[in-house]
Amino acid sequence: MEKRSSFSGKIGFVLAAAGSAVGLGNIWRFPYLAAEYGGGIFLIIYIILVVTFGFTLMTTEIALGRKTGLSAVRAYHALNKKYAFVGYITSFIPLIIASYYCVIGGWVIKYLASYIGGGGTAMAQDGYFEGFIGGASEPVLFQFIFVAVCMIILFLGVKRGVEQANKILMPLLVVLSLAVAIYSMTLPGALEGVKYFLLPDFSHFSFMTVLAALGQMFYSMSLAMAIMITYGSYLKKDISIERSVKQIEVFDTGIAILAGLMIIPAVFAFSNGDMSQLNSGPGLMFITIPKVFESMGMGTWIGIAFFVLVLFAALTSAISLIEAVTSIVIDKFHMTRKKALALVGIVTFALGIPSAMAFGLLGDFSIIGFSVLDFMDFISNNALMPFVALMTCIFAVYGVGLNAITEEVALTGKFKQERMYRVMMRYIAPVFLVVILIGYVLSGLGVFKI
Ligand code: TRP
């Protein structure tokens, strides 16, 4: 067994976990879901889910990891053999996510390359993004480049260097986002967008709002995906899990809100309040951001800076996704790291090709109303993750017992939110997750529309 390194200190752990959590989920995915599923009402449901569900599940995963000192596949098995299958399903999700994550990563590289080539004005025109993703070969080419960059970093093992760079580039991302968000909010007509994003309007509420917010919460916090268990296994015993989780939440949600403030008001400003523009789905960031930069009058430089930073956030997350799958393959099939890495890289790329072609060659093809990319995203975040989360609750309550977990959390002092934690784990979370899953299956079968 490889030796288990541990994080240097409290800040080391929080930053590493935040580095995994902060990625395309915050900057690309959160704003388009918030725009699509009701604005302020989505935001408030999202925040409630983060501080209740997200808190509970992240605490559980980190505590399980630290208690066992094992990665997910083995942690479930070690604590209770009957639940070993949860470890396997958990381990499968990052592969699905990695496959289409690299497609979006490719889009980021394409935009960066275009800015470097001086294409800022062209990118700000209507239809540019659709033209790009509608192409037959370009999206796959850029997806390939993104996967290749990840593989080179993973093969060279310069992961630590990347993490080091992350510590410098993340704060830069925050500063730049803050500047762009302020600019975007002061554009004429943007105020309506700020209101739409921040003020809850209950007429926009639907079951889908909750489902989408829940899926986003899992995604953004990197939950139900084996990763936080693994990170927990590196965590020293004298660091407070409870406080760390809260800091990760603030960081992760803060950046998501900032991205929302950067993108949504700008959509209102550039479309003269035409709400239908909000529904551009995965393309929202790629359509709006170039317009914002163009109107700032120094499009090229800001464009390059912004997409370099987003690329870094995406790379660190993608690398840890691929790394998570690789360590599982090594654990399970006793392969060498090089072989496992090559295998996972090839599978990630191959599995992602349909998503890359989703708006081009496969443009007419849809699965229960979703494009291939949206389907991969939906199935992993809104179906598989709630299922794993439900299993994790059952496992924690009946398989290991909540005492074992709360004791682990209380190693560094009183577990302040223990009452809430217990009630959530025992009653609220399982019931809620079952309702969500049934709703999901029924809608998938076409019984009702969510
Ligand atoms: N949370 C990441 C983001 O917001 C994406 C992600 C989900 C992830 N699960 C992960 C990253 C596991 C690394 C490991 O972009």
Side-chain angles (χ1 to χ4, degrees), residues 120-142:
T121 310
M123 282 187 278
Q125 306 307 315
D126 285 334
Y128 179 87
F129 176 71
E130 289 79 359
F132 161 58
I133 57 169
S137 55
E138 258 205 325
V140 181
L141 175 69
F142 282 98

Side-chain angles (χ1 to χ4, degrees), residues 17-258:
S20 150
V22 174
L24 291 171
N26 308 61
I27 305 159
W28 157 74
R29 197 173 188 272
F30 179 84
Y32 87 74
L33 287 176
E36 201 163 331
Y37 294 111
I41 190 77
F42 178 91
L43 180 63
I44 199 156
I45 292 175
Y46 180 77
I47 292 175
I48 293 173
L49 288 174
V50 167
V51 297
T52 54
F53 256 76
F55 171 79
T56 313
L57 285 170
M58 191 180 263
T59 303
T60 306
E61 290 194 14
I62 294 175
L64 284 175
R66 189 167 78 177
K67 194 173 171 53
T68 54
L70 295 171
S71 63
V73 233
R74 290 202 245 143
Y76 284 95
H77 184 268
L79 289 168
N80 191 328
K81 285 203 175 49
K82 275 195 269 172
Y83 290 85
F85 73 97
V86 185
Y88 291 112
I89 306 176
T90 322
S91 312
F92 189 65
I93 304 175
L95 186 61
I96 305 182
I97 305 243
S99 76
Y100 74 84
Y101 205 89
C102 293
V103 173
I104 316 295
W107 298 356
V108 174
I109 293 187
K110 158 78 184 177
Y111 270 58
L112 176 59
S114 303
Y115 271 114
I116 292 173
T121 310
M123 282 187 278
Q125 306 307 315
D126 285 334
Y128 179 87
F129 176 71
E130 289 79 359
F132 161 58
I133 57 169
S137 55
E138 258 205 325
V140 181
L141 175 69
F142 282 98
Q143 176 213 2
F144 178 78
I145 296 174
F146 186 85
V147 176
V149 173
C150 291
M151 296 316 287
I152 292 171
I153 296 173
L154 283 162
F155 268 118
L156 291 178
V158 292
K159 222 180 127 228
R160 294 193 81 181
V162 172
E163 256 148 40
Q164 223 46 43
N166 215 11
K167 280 183 195 163
I168 303 164
L169 292 172
M170 268 313 165
L172 280 182
L173 179 67
V174 175
V175 173
L176 190 66
S177 303
L178 206 59
V180 176
I182 291 171
Y183 175 79
S184 168
M185 285 190 285
T186 50
L187 285 167
L191 199 64
E192 279 310 303
V194 178
K195 282 193 205 152
Y196 175 76
F197 178 52
L198 294 181
L199 303 178
D201 174 349
F202 288 89
S203 67
H204 289 137
F205 179 83
S206 75
F207 183 61
M208 198 60 193
T209 313
V210 182
L211 193 57
L214 187 77
Q216 173 63 12
M217 188 274 286
F218 286 126
Y219 190 92
S220 192
M221 296 179 72
S222 308
L223 290 175
M225 230 185 275
I227 197 83
M228 287 299 159
I229 299 186
T230 310
Y231 277 18
S233 74
Y234 302 142
L235 184 62
K236 286 188 182 152
K237 292 278 185 193
D238 59 355
I239 288 166
S240 162
I241 294 182
E242 191 173 14
R243 280 193 44 203
S244 304
V245 170
K246 284 190 181 144
Q247 285 168 348
I248 298 167
E249 282 175 346
V250 169
F251 205 67
D252 190 51
T253 310
I255 294 195
I257 294 177
L258 216 47

Side-chain angles (χ1 to χ4, degrees), residues 216-400:
Q216 173 63 12
M217 188 274 286
F218 286 126
Y219 190 92
S220 192
M221 296 179 72
S222 308
L223 290 175
M225 230 185 275
I227 197 83
M228 287 299 159
I229 299 186
T230 310
Y231 277 18
S233 74
Y234 302 142
L235 184 62
K236 286 188 182 152
K237 292 278 185 193
D238 59 355
I239 288 166
S240 162
I241 294 182
E242 191 173 14
R243 280 193 44 203
S244 304
V245 170
K246 284 190 181 144
Q247 285 168 348
I248 298 167
E249 282 175 346
V250 169
F251 205 67
D252 190 51
T253 310
I255 294 195
I257 294 177
L258 216 47
L261 287 175
M262 209 159 60
I263 294 171
I264 297 176
V267 177
F268 275 74
F270 291 119
S271 67
N272 296 319
D274 174 8
M275 299 283 279
S276 67
Q277 296 278 317
L278 283 176
N279 289 332
S280 34
L284 194 67
M285 171 179 115
F286 295 93
I287 295 168
T288 312
I289 286 290
K291 292 189 178 168
V292 177
F293 293 164
E294 181 70 9
S295 88
M296 286 170 108
M298 32 186 186
T300 305
W301 291 107
I302 296 205
I304 293 175
F306 180 78
F307 280 101
V308 164
L309 296 173
V310 173
L311 181 62
F312 242 86
L315 276 174
T316 52
S317 292
I319 287 168
S320 53
L321 278 164
I322 297 176
E323 178 71 33
V325 183
T326 305
S327 69
I328 288 156
V329 172
I330 296 174
D331 265 11
K332 217 40 231 166
F333 303 107
H334 308 288
M335 277 187 193
T336 61
R337 184 181 151 81
K338 283 214 167 91
K339 266 194 199 150
L341 206 50
L343 180 73
V344 175
I346 292 167
V347 173
T348 303
F349 175 62
L351 204 62
I353 291 176
S355 295
M357 301 199 306
F359 308 96
L361 291 178
L362 294 176
D364 294 328
F365 180 70
S366 72
I367 313 167
I368 52 168
F370 291 106
S371 71
V372 185
L373 188 144
D374 283 318
F375 179 75
M376 297 291 261
D377 183 89
F378 187 80
I379 196 94
S380 48
N381 299 297
N382 300 24
L384 287 175
M385 288 202 217
F387 177 73
V388 168
L390 177 63
M391 286 301 146
T392 306
C393 290
I394 297 174
F395 170 70
V397 175
Y398 302 103
V400 271

